Amino acid sequence: VVIAERLFFSAFQKQVFARVNKPTRALSVTFDLEDHRQSHAGSKRYLANTARILDFLDKNTIRATIFVVGNIIPECRDVLRRASAAGHELALHSVTHTPLTQTSRATLGAKLADARASLEDVSGCAVTGFRAPVFSLTPATVWITELLVEAGFRYSSSVLPAAHPMYGYPGAPRGTFRWPSGLVEFPVPIGRIGPTSLPFLGGIYLRYLPLPIIIKLVRRLEASVVPWTYLHPYDIDSSEAYYRFPGTSAVQSVLLWRRRRATLARLKRLLENAAVSTGGTLAEHLATSAALDLPQFTVNN
Ligand SMILES: [Zn+2]
């Protein structure tokens, strides 16, 4: 597989260089800081993995947006201080990583505001961004967009604008848009392979899809899309024993477990390609989008 991928890559690279006068796309790096085993016994590996990701970002002078789950902020203080000192943006990845579809709306607003304040305390920087767990901002959970504005957030990065086996919002705009509440949304970049639409720039897609295909899909993204990649601590944890992820099939769990060793090397190769450059944080994109007349998404409930 590796040899086939390399051959394909070198053939494709020739094509890419032949079209090198096409503008490069700036790729923002985002990272979801979560403990995927938080409800289980066992050592907490995510802090060490996060430190490795921060090392990688330092070494490659990349400033990322880090979405942090609220209930692990106390045990992440050191790593969060390090991240903010290095110029990374900190944002919130929900309070307990419960999908929005299973979250009670009644008490969430106050909890979101508290978690945002505690992240600001640790980082000393304004926290304006939010990402829903497992991209669970769907037609059923649009109510969160009003709570987020009330809790002081200014953008979200939570919508997967395609049909997807877990969550997804088919029909939502693929480019940056504004919710009726005024919240700006940076949807998950979607690429088409045949009849399938995939969030190809992160997670297991970044681990498995051949890089030439990822690069081609980045170049095909419409200008209104902010290209961002997403990673989790477990995506780089190649020495973790096989573990059945809650809520996934055995096949999905094996996919989530394999090919982790190559994740950061692939991200580096992606960012070194002539067609892709390193973009800024999502907060910086928010600042840029303030000057744009973003389309408003009319939600039909
Ligand atoms: Zn997550």
Side-chain angles (χ1 to χ4, degrees):
V1 172
V2 171
I3 292 169
E5 192 188 311
R6 292 232 168 104
L7 285 174
F8 186 39
F9 184 70
S10 61
F12 185 77
Q13 222 172 23
K14 282 179 195 149
Q15 277 189 43
V16 166
F17 285 126
R19 289 181 291 154
V20 82
N21 52 352
K22 255 187 149 185
T24 59
R25 292 303 299 262
L27 180 65
S28 293
V29 174
T30 79
F31 163 41
D32 295 352
L33 178 42
E34 62 193 52
D35 181 2
H36 66 289
R37 297 184 64 158
Q38 63 183 329
S39 59
H40 298 264
S43 63
K44 293 182 170 169
R45 307 172 64 91
Y46 77 98
L47 285 170
N49 290 316
T50 300
R52 279 181 56 211
I53 293 176
L54 292 177
D55 290 345
F56 169 85
L57 297 172
D58 279 355
K59 207 170 151 196
N60 294 286
T61 50
I62 297 166
R63 281 179 309 103
T65 299
I66 304 172
F67 291 92
V68 188
V69 177
N71 65 358
I72 59 170
I73 293 171
E75 62 191 38
C76 290
R77 278 180 182 275
D78 291 345
V79 102
L80 294 176
R81 288 204 181 106
R82 177 185 164 189
S84 113
H88 301 301
E89 176 197 359
L90 297 182
L92 192 70
H93 188 34
S94 80
V95 182
T96 61
H97 209 268
T98 309
L100 297 179
T101 43
Q102 296 158 38
T103 301
S104 151
R105 179 178 181 167
T107 54
L108 188 62
K111 289 179 185 167
L112 287 169
D114 288 350
R116 184 176 157 267
S118 94
L119 201 48
E120 288 192 334
D121 272 357
V122 173
S123 65
C125 298
V127 169
T128 55
F130 175 85
R131 174 168 293 160
V134 289
F135 303 131
S136 57
L137 208 173
T138 67
T141 57
V142 166
W143 48 263
I144 186 98
T145 59
E146 278 162 27
L147 293 191
L148 288 171
V149 170
E150 286 161 19
F153 293 92
R154 294 187 52 218
Y155 80 85
S156 151
S157 170
S158 308
V159 165
L160 197 165
H164 193 265
M166 284 180 75
Y167 296 96
Y169 200 137
R174 298 219 166 156
T176 308
F177 67 89
R178 201 180 287 281
W179 294 99
S181 67
L183 190 75
V184 170
E185 181 72 37
F186 298 113
V188 190
I190 297 291
R192 276 185 82 87
I193 299 179
T196 322
S197 294
L198 297 173
F200 68 100
L201 263 175
I204 63 167
Y205 304 97
L206 185 62
R207 282 195 242 154
Y208 287 89
L209 287 175
L211 271 181
I213 289 183
I214 294 180
I215 291 160
K216 195 169 185 174
L217 293 174
V218 169
R219 290 175 75 89
R220 279 190 187 160
L221 289 172
E222 289 189 20
S224 59
V225 175
V226 170
W228 50 262
T229 181
Y230 58 98
L231 277 173
H232 309 86
Y234 63 76
D235 279 312
I236 68 158
D237 193 353
S238 56
S239 59
E240 188 181 36
Y242 172 75
Y243 167 78
R244 180 78 178 261
F245 268 64
T248 63
S249 68
V251 172
Q252 284 171 319
S253 281
V254 169
L255 287 173
L256 283 163
W257 178 57
R258 290 186 53 80
R259 289 181 66 86
R260 293 174 171 187
R261 193 184 302 276
T263 307
L264 290 178
R266 292 182 120 236
L267 181 56
K268 187 166 156 57
R269 277 167 63 200
L270 179 60
L271 288 165
E272 283 171 355
N273 188 276
V276 184
S277 63
T278 305
T281 63
L282 292 185
E284 286 161 358
H285 283 287
L286 180 76
T288 313
S289 71
L292 303 175
D293 193 11
L294 292 178
Q296 181 168 314
F297 182 36
T298 310
V299 180
N300 301 308
N301 283 319

